[in-house]
Amino acid sequence: MPRVEKEDQESMAMKLLSVQNSPVECEFYVCKWDKQVWGRLNVPKHSFILWMAIQDKLKTKVRLFKFKVIDEEVCGLCNIHKENVEHLFFHCSFSHVCLQVLKTWLGWNVRAEDLQSLIRWIERSKQSQFKKKVLAAALVYHLWRARNDEVLKISSSSQEVIIRRTKEAVKLRVSCAMPRKVSSEDKNWFAEL
Ligand SMILES: [Zn+2]
């Protein structure tokens, strides 16, 4: 990775961490998630969305409404519920379907359906570091897509396309940035995805 790009990532991460409220949570994310989130399997701009979501700093409608920037806080994808981070990425009918398909695709056998629980599950699960990084990459890309889908107001009829693009993006990124030390078992697992 180019030196400048890595320094940009690190300074961005530190800026974000400087506004973190809880020292315990801050320590947890720095120690446990730094490598997965800012690792080479993730595109930096996608990782940035995860960092913002973790800290509830994304400009969701609930936040914009709170600061009187807009006059309604209903999710732009389902037009039913309030649009906060958990809803947008996990509970909205649109992104929920996409996440479920991704979880099945990767053998991501966990019932947790909120950001903190998924992060903890990936970190604590007894899987290889490579698999954890692929799961993290998929989570990061899912968040990125869900965010863009909301901004672009993509209809639910596009879910199949979104899922296919997400899979392709994860496969392409991981293939291009494949770590040197990956077991043959992990390589086979990835090749069969
Ligand atoms: Zn929604």
Side-chain angles (χ1 to χ4, degrees), residues 75-83 87-88 91-94:
C75 168
L77 290 174
C78 66
N79 287 311
I80 298 174
H81 301 285
K82 288 183 179 180
E83 185 198 287
H87 173 77
L88 187 58
H91 301 146
C92 183
S93 55
F94 183 86

Side-chain angles (χ1 to χ4, degrees), residues 41-133:
L41 295 190
N42 297 321
V43 177
K45 65 181 178 182
H46 300 168
S47 300
F48 182 73
I49 294 293
L50 176 60
W51 276 105
M52 295 293 278
I54 285 172
Q55 306 196 44
D56 199 18
K57 298 292 183 189
L58 279 178
K59 291 176 183 172
T60 58
K61 284 192 173 179
V62 165
R63 275 180 63 80
L64 294 174
F65 180 76
K66 184 179 167 186
F67 294 113
K68 303 188 188 312
V69 177
I70 56 175
D71 56 9
E72 50 92 17
E73 54 189 342
V74 177
C75 168
L77 290 174
C78 66
N79 287 311
I80 298 174
H81 301 285
K82 288 183 179 180
E83 185 198 287
N84 55 26
V85 166
E86 295 302 337
H87 173 77
L88 187 58
F89 296 139
F90 298 97
H91 301 146
C92 183
S93 55
F94 183 86
S95 49
H96 180 79
V97 170
C98 298
L99 183 60
Q100 290 305 312
V101 173
L102 281 181
K103 284 162 71 173
T104 303
W105 178 54
L106 294 168
W108 195 345
N109 190 22
V110 55
R111 299 185 77 177
E113 291 180 355
D114 63 74
L115 190 53
Q116 317 299 342
S117 302
L118 278 176
I119 288 173
R120 281 172 170 77
W121 183 86
I122 292 174
E123 184 51 44
R124 292 171 181 173
S125 67
K126 292 176 181 172
Q127 303 194 57
S128 68
Q129 285 301 314
F130 175 70
K131 278 190 178 179
K132 286 183 181 184
K133 286 175 182 174

Side-chain angles (χ1 to χ4, degrees), residues 2-19:
R3 185 177 174 76
V4 173
E5 185 183 346
K6 186 160 190 351
E7 285 176 354
D8 284 347
Q9 288 177 16
E10 288 171 352
S11 67
M12 190 187 294
M14 291 316 294
K15 278 181 195 168
L16 290 165
L17 286 169
S18 68
V19 296

